[in-house]
Amino acid sequence: RVFFNHPGFIDAQVDRVRAARADLSAAADAARIVFVTHAVPTSMARHSDYVAQHQETARLVAERAGAPAGWDLVFCSRSGPPQVPWTGPDVNDHLTDLHEQGVRAVVLVPIGFLSDHMEVIHDLDVEARETADDLGLALVRAGTVGTHPAFVAAIVDLVRERVAGTPPQAVGTFGPWHDACPVDCCLMPGQDAPPTVASAPSRPRR
């Protein structure tokens, strides 16, 4: 199922944030935590829990890791026709805004990505790094959860939930998320919910 609020996923993210912030040494307490996930069309965001789930993950991680200078959720990898609105702000635009507000250090946290694949490396380690360097903004990028033991253990827990019926684990305000969508989940504009039928199968959440 969706694991945005599984304690193992949160614990792994917290460790990555703390390790990255330690690299800033004296500037660590003044560093703004900027959580980054993939942008999506705003029409999709309005009809799904995508943004709410990321906001909850960011809040939980910030509370546990500590964020004395505050935190934000921003987006990267926008694509498609320029006239189609996507979620924002873009990470590079946000770095510029933070610099203008007097922020001098940032920890980038790729909270919407599980591994250091090319999209993370290009959008954050190359483009965002260039933006920060141009601004004179101190920046470190936290690692993705990858093979962090807490995250690996969380995946094991999720499998056990499905095959053995072990109690689901979740932290925060939402509780354990369902692993199959209701029939009226994620409707697009103008789309009507299908008739509710007791035997109708639910759609797997992707």
Side-chain angles (χ1 to χ4, degrees), residues 48-80:
S48 73
D49 299 300
Y50 183 81
V51 174
Q53 290 172 356
H54 281 86
Q55 288 174 334
E56 177 71 350
T57 302
R59 182 186 70 81
L60 291 168
V61 173
E63 286 182 354
R64 286 159 174 73
W71 62 271
D72 310 288
L73 175 66
V74 303
F75 301 85
C76 68
S77 304
R78 188 225 187 277
S79 61

Side-chain angles (χ1 to χ4, degrees), residues 14-31:
V14 168
D15 278 356
R16 298 303 197 212
V17 171
R18 287 173 174 165
R21 191 163 49 197
D23 291 339
L24 288 171
S25 60
D29 288 342

Side-chain angles (χ1 to χ4, degrees), residues 91-100 103-104 128-138:
V91 59
N92 295 286
D93 294 339
H94 190 65
L95 292 177
T96 300
D97 290 343
L98 289 178
H99 180 262
E100 292 175 353
V103 173
R104 294 294 175 259
R129 168 67 63 186
E130 289 177 354
T131 298
D133 289 346
D134 290 344
L135 295 169
L137 186 66

Side-chain angles (χ1 to χ4, degrees), residues 11 18-19 32 36 42 45 50 62-63 82 92 109 136 144 148 154 176 191-192 202:
D11 289 345
R18 287 173 174 165
R32 186 92 174 172
V36 188
T42 55
Y50 183 81
E63 286 182 354
N92 295 286
V109 185
T144 50
H148 189 289
Q191 181 181 1
D192 294 326
S202 55

Side-chain angles (χ1 to χ4, degrees), residues 1-201:
R1 62 176 172 83
V2 178
F3 50 79
F4 69 96
N5 58 355
H6 190 286
F9 180 59
I10 300 301
D11 289 345
Q13 295 280 7
V14 168
D15 278 356
R16 298 303 197 212
V17 171
R18 287 173 174 165
R21 191 163 49 197
D23 291 339
L24 288 171
S25 60
D29 288 342
R32 186 92 174 172
I33 299 179
V34 177
F35 297 99
V36 188
T37 192
H38 202 297
V40 297
T42 55
S43 59
M44 180 187 299
R46 285 195 303 269
H47 297 275
S48 73
D49 299 300
Y50 183 81
V51 174
Q53 290 172 356
H54 281 86
Q55 288 174 334
E56 177 71 350
T57 302
R59 182 186 70 81
L60 291 168
V61 173
E63 286 182 354
R64 286 159 174 73
W71 62 271
D72 310 288
L73 175 66
V74 303
F75 301 85
C76 68
S77 304
R78 188 225 187 277
S79 61
Q83 67 271 20
V84 176
W86 282 50
T87 50
D90 173 78
V91 59
N92 295 286
D93 294 339
H94 190 65
L95 292 177
T96 300
D97 290 343
L98 289 178
H99 180 262
E100 292 175 353
Q101 295 166 22
V103 173
R104 294 294 175 259
V106 167
V107 177
L108 282 186
V109 185
I111 203 165
F113 305 92
L114 300 183
S115 63
D116 289 2
H117 54 67
M118 288 305 297
E119 198 163 25
V120 173
I121 292 171
H122 179 74
D123 289 358
L124 303 186
D125 295 347
V126 176
E127 290 190 340
R129 168 67 63 186
E130 289 177 354
T131 298
D133 289 346
D134 290 344
L135 295 169
L137 186 66
L139 181 145
V140 294
R141 199 265 287 176
T144 50
V145 290
T147 57
H148 189 289
F151 178 56
V152 174
I155 298 298
V156 174
D157 286 343
L158 294 172
V159 174
R160 287 174 173 163
E161 285 181 25
R162 174 60 73 87
V163 302
T166 58
Q169 299 184 56
V171 293
T173 60
F174 288 104
W177 212 253
H178 52 262
D179 61 358
C181 288
V183 293
D184 59 350
C185 179
C186 307
L187 297 177
M188 295 301 289
Q191 181 181 1
D192 294 326
T196 301
V197 179
S199 60

